[in-house]
């Protein structure tokens, strides 16, 4: 049996789907091996435990997520453009790691108590800081409404975006970028400051804003 990186990636992808569907506690090494079409003993040739598999799945997802987020945050974009870019990057990660996102949502609250998964807490702190900081910057700059509750808005945007992992399937009708554009047109029309002279044209204004953020 080959033990190269490609085979390892295939097994992790299979394990991620099983964890996402059945939950971490209910998933056994045998179930993962069955889904991969191999004997449970053969799976130990690649990984020493299901915890190791879950660790690699989540760490890979979060490392890629933060590579994308850090590039956005380092780009010195305006607040609105930063929100647009973060949302778009989030949907790209759902496209790449849908099962890992689903696992993260379902299991992270319990996993943070395990020493091996302590990095989840730090990632959550960084995530909140990035989003809240951008929203606060937008309010201060007059880009977002002055009466905006930034923490409530952060939770709304966070949950609205990441819950997509429960229904999104790679290769579907819409690309992650198109879904991001649709989400942004709904979200930003609700929180962006509008030109008083643009009354009655909010739909067109919102579309221009989203497009401008991606140019």
């Amino acid at each position: 049996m080959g033990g190269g990186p490609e085979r390892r990636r295939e097994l992790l992808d299979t394990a991620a789907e099983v964890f996402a569907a059945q939950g971490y506690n209910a998933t056994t090494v045998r179930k993962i091996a069955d889904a991969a079409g191999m004997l449970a003993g053969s799976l130990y040739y690649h990984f020493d435990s299901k915890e190791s598999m879950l660790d690699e799945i989540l760490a890979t997802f979060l490392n890629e997520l933060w590579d994308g987020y850090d590039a956005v945050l380092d780009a010195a974009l305006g607040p609105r453009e930063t929100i647009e870019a973060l949302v778009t990057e989030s949907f790209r990660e759902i496209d790449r790691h849908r099962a890992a996102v689903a696992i993260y949502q379902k299991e992270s609250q319990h996993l943070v108590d395990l020493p091996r998964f302590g990095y989840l807490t730090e990632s959550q702190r960084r995530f909140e800081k990035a989003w809240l900081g951008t929203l606060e910057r937008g309010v201060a700059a007059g880009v977002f409404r002055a009466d905006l509750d930034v923490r409530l808005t952060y939770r709304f945007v966070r949950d609205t975006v990441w819950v997509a992992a429960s229904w999104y399937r790679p290769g579907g009708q819409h690309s992650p970028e198109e879904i991001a554009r649709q989400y942004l047109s709904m979200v930003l029309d609700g929180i962006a400051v509008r030109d008083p002279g643009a009354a009655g044209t909010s739909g067109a204004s919102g579309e221009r804003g989203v497009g401008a953020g991606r140019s």
Side-chain angles (χ1 to χ4, degrees):
M1 179 182 299
E6 184 175 342
R7 179 55 174 163
R8 185 181 183 87
R9 184 70 259 165
E10 290 173 354
L11 293 174
L12 287 172
D13 288 344
T14 298
E17 293 294 341
V18 178
F19 285 137
Q22 301 188 20
Y24 176 67
N25 288 334
T27 297
T28 63
V29 171
R30 180 176 294 278
K31 288 181 179 179
I32 297 171
D34 288 345
M38 61 195 303
L39 297 174
S42 298
L43 194 59
Y44 285 110
Y45 175 78
H46 302 273
F47 305 97
D48 60 12
S49 66
K50 71 172 188 176
E51 185 177 277
S52 294
M53 285 183 274
L54 183 62
D55 183 14
E56 190 163 340
I57 290 165
L58 292 178
T60 299
F61 154 58
L62 289 174
N63 286 339
E64 288 193 16
L65 175 70
W66 280 108
D67 283 345
Y69 270 26
D70 285 341
V72 170
L73 297 171
D74 292 342
L77 302 172
R80 178 173 179 134
E81 291 77 15
T82 299
I83 290 292
E84 290 174 345
L86 288 175
V87 168
T88 301
E89 190 60 38
S90 298
F91 278 106
R92 287 172 178 157
E93 287 305 313
I94 292 172
D95 182 63
R96 297 182 190 113
H97 298 288
R98 185 202 59 81
V101 173
I103 297 167
Y104 183 87
Q105 289 180 308
K106 295 176 184 178
E107 308 286 355
S108 60
Q109 184 176 356
H110 309 292
L111 292 173
V112 293
D113 295 328
L114 301 177
R116 186 168 192 164
F117 295 95
Y119 59 87
L120 297 179
T121 299
E122 177 59 25
S123 184
Q124 290 167 358
R125 291 197 191 101
R126 291 178 65 192
F127 191 89
E128 183 171 312
K129 180 180 179 182
W131 286 85
L132 284 178
T134 302
L135 290 168
E136 290 167 351
R137 186 160 57 93
V139 171
V143 176
F144 302 144
R145 294 195 332 242
D147 65 336
L148 195 69
D149 184 323
V150 293
R151 185 165 290 277
L152 183 61
T153 303
Y154 154 68
R155 289 172 176 166
F156 169 76
V157 175
R158 176 197 64 190
D159 294 347
T160 301
V161 169
W162 292 105
V163 76
S166 66
W167 55 260
Y168 179 82
R169 293 296 180 271
Q173 181 179 358
H174 300 292
S175 70
E177 291 79 12
E178 174 59 27
I179 296 173
R181 283 194 294 269
Q182 293 291 330
Y183 269 61
L184 285 164
S185 70
M186 292 183 281
V187 171
L188 291 179
D189 269 347
I191 68 175
V193 172
R194 299 177 184 176
D195 182 349
T201 61
S202 60
S205 173
E207 290 174 0
R208 284 196 302 270
V210 173
R214 293 178 54 79
S215 61

